């Protein structure tokens, strides 16, 4: 596979570059990154991999904070609804 890649790319690709290319490709399969504009050497590819990992961590953190806020909102609403039910029951029992 690496010989075919080397012939198609018209370059001498060492194992490090091929590994970085494989990792880059695999990351683009489950992130919003693409391979249309691509790095041309191992340093650019490694930089791109770090950027994608950073984006993955940032997006996961952002999604986690939104999930946490929704959970907090649901909890506050549940408490408020419970307090409201308690108040209505108290008013009905005391005929207020």
């Amino acid at each position: 596979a690496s010989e075919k890649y080397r012939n198609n790319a018209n370059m001498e690709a060492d194992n490090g570059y091929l590994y970085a290319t494989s990792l880059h490709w695999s990351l683009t399969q489950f992130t919003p990154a693409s391979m249309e504009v691509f790095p041309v050497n191992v340093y650019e590819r490694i930089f791109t991999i770090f950027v994608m990992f950073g984006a993955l961590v940032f997006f996961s953190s952002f999604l986690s904070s939104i999930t946490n806020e929704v959970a907090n909102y649901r909890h506050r609403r549940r408490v408020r609804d419970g307090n409201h039910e308690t108040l209505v029951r108290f008013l009905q029992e005391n005929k207020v």
Side-chain angles (χ1 to χ4, degrees):
S2 65
E3 194 63 39
K4 182 178 179 183
Y5 176 80
R6 289 177 186 156
N7 290 337
N8 288 341
N10 210 7
M11 66 165 69
E12 287 293 320
D14 64 348
N15 287 335
Y17 184 79
L18 292 174
Y19 177 77
T21 301
S22 299
L23 182 59
H24 182 206
W25 177 86
S26 66
L27 288 171
T28 61
Q29 300 308 302
F30 64 92
T31 62
S34 73
M35 290 279 290
E36 292 176 18
V37 177
F38 53 90
V40 295
N41 60 41
V42 71
Y43 300 110
E44 290 176 1
R45 189 159 311 269
I46 289 172
F47 174 77
T48 303
I49 290 168
F50 279 115
V51 168
M52 284 191 297
F53 271 128
L56 183 65
V57 169
F58 175 77
F59 180 73
S60 299
S61 174
F62 176 70
L63 189 61
S64 173
S65 66
I66 290 175
T67 303
N68 189 35
E69 288 301 317
V70 169
N72 284 337
Y73 172 75
R74 287 180 179 171
H75 176 70
R76 287 191 312 266
R77 186 167 179 176
R78 215 174 309 127
V79 168
R80 188 192 71 196
D81 290 347
N83 289 341
H84 180 73
E85 288 176 16
T86 303
L87 176 62
V88 168
R89 191 173 347 111
F90 173 80
L91 293 175
Q92 287 173 346
E93 288 174 358
N94 293 304
K95 297 182 181 24
V96 176

